Amino acid sequence: MPVTQDPPRGVRLPRRERRAQLLDAARSVFVTQGFHAAAMDEIAVQAGVSKPVLYQHFPSKQELYLALLDESIEMLVGSLRDALESTDDNAERVAAAIGAYFDFVDDPDGAYRLVFESDLVNVDEVRRRVERADEHCAALVAVVIVADTGLSEDEAMLLATGLTGMAQTSARRWLRNRRALPKATAAKLIMDQVWGGISAFPRSHPRKPPPAAGRRSNDTSARPSKAERFANSERT
């Protein structure tokens, strides 16, 4: 993630730039201290602004945290989407998807901790966001699985949840182990395990052609599935 360069104290910035500066400062404080120990005073000092300026943009510490959480989730979902869309080769798709998780936790900004290790998951607004992020990532993978295997949506979502869950927990374990293995080696270990299972499913038959113009079809396969609708929601 690009780091916003701090301007001299007292310089008036456009609202968008000031917001980005405040989020950068808050991220470093929340990641290192957690929500409960973090103080708005310290975030203001880190950003080089007064507390009133900070509160003009974020009326409460929780609102500031939620803005950071939303930004971090967008990063993860966007990276996973790009990985899945980067190739039509399914083995490469799986490798890219797993790599997206390893890259996400390896970001020195530590944004992954807000998504995967939040100390505020007992708050409904945080929990809902994290759960929705998990569902969104699984849905992105499930759409590909349905298209290429012909499995039902429920089956695909279960497999996709297993894939993304394994990628996430393995990446975090690799990081906690102080990167004892090279990242590419660690990601390939997980890819080989996942691909060994998912590649056993046969590719689906070609989709049926759409009905002739003016005719309505009762075939629901041509309609977007729940996973497709979810995967395409909030597309950035």
Side-chain angles (χ1 to χ4, degrees):
M1 175 185 294
V3 177
T4 304
Q5 186 175 2
D6 293 339
R9 190 180 180 93
V11 173
R12 186 175 182 84
L13 292 177
R15 184 172 183 82
R16 179 176 295 182
E17 292 182 24
R18 177 67 76 190
R19 178 183 172 86
Q21 176 204 12
L22 297 175
L23 288 173
D24 281 345
R27 185 182 304 104
S28 67
V29 176
F30 281 132
V31 164
T32 57
Q33 299 186 22
F35 176 83
H36 297 291
M40 293 292 269
D41 287 316
E42 184 174 355
I43 293 170
V45 170
Q46 182 84 5
V49 300
S50 64
K51 276 184 68 177
V53 170
L54 178 58
Y55 278 109
Q56 283 174 8
H57 291 263
F58 302 100
S60 71
K61 185 168 75 167
Q62 183 168 311
E63 288 190 42
L64 176 54
Y65 187 90
L66 291 174
L68 272 174
L69 179 59
D70 288 339
E71 183 181 77
S72 301
I73 288 171
E74 287 175 8
M75 287 172 54
L76 173 61
V77 171
S79 296
L80 182 59
R81 191 195 306 276
D82 289 345
L84 293 170
E85 293 178 351
S86 65
T87 177
D88 291 329
D89 181 272
N90 285 332
E92 292 178 2
R93 274 177 173 161
V94 171
I98 292 170
Y101 278 90
F102 274 80
D103 288 343
F104 184 64
V105 304
D106 197 31
D107 190 318
D109 285 339
Y112 81 94
R113 296 191 62 186
L114 302 176
V115 183
F116 299 146
E117 300 176 0
S118 174
D119 59 346
L120 210 61
V121 289
N122 59 319
V123 175
D124 286 343
E125 289 181 278
V126 173
R127 186 182 66 254
R128 285 197 298 268
R129 280 168 164 82
V130 172
E131 289 175 351
R132 185 169 177 82
D134 288 341
E135 286 288 304
H136 201 159
C137 289
L140 288 171
V141 176
V143 168
V144 176
I145 293 175
V146 168
D148 286 344
T149 66
L151 292 174
S152 71
E153 182 180 345
D154 287 337
E155 291 170 324
M157 278 296 288
L158 191 58
L159 284 174
T161 301
L163 187 156
T164 55
M166 181 180 292
Q168 179 217 130
T169 55
S170 299
R172 289 164 58 200
R173 176 64 180 83
W174 167 78
L175 191 65
R176 285 197 302 272
N177 202 34
R178 305 185 184 211
R179 304 177 176 87
L181 294 172
K183 180 166 62 175
T185 301
K188 187 176 185 304
L189 279 173
I190 305 307
M191 187 276 177
D192 289 344
Q193 182 176 9
V194 171
W195 182 243
I198 203 169
S199 62
F201 292 97
R203 292 183 64 91
S204 63
H205 298 293
R207 290 181 180 271
K208 295 179 181 180
R215 294 180 59 188
R216 297 183 63 182
S217 172
N218 293 324
D219 181 9
T220 58
S221 65
R223 303 171 190 169
S225 67
K226 290 180 182 178
E228 287 174 321
R229 291 194 299 270
F230 196 99
N232 290 322
S233 68
E234 303 174 1
R235 188 180 181 99
T236 55

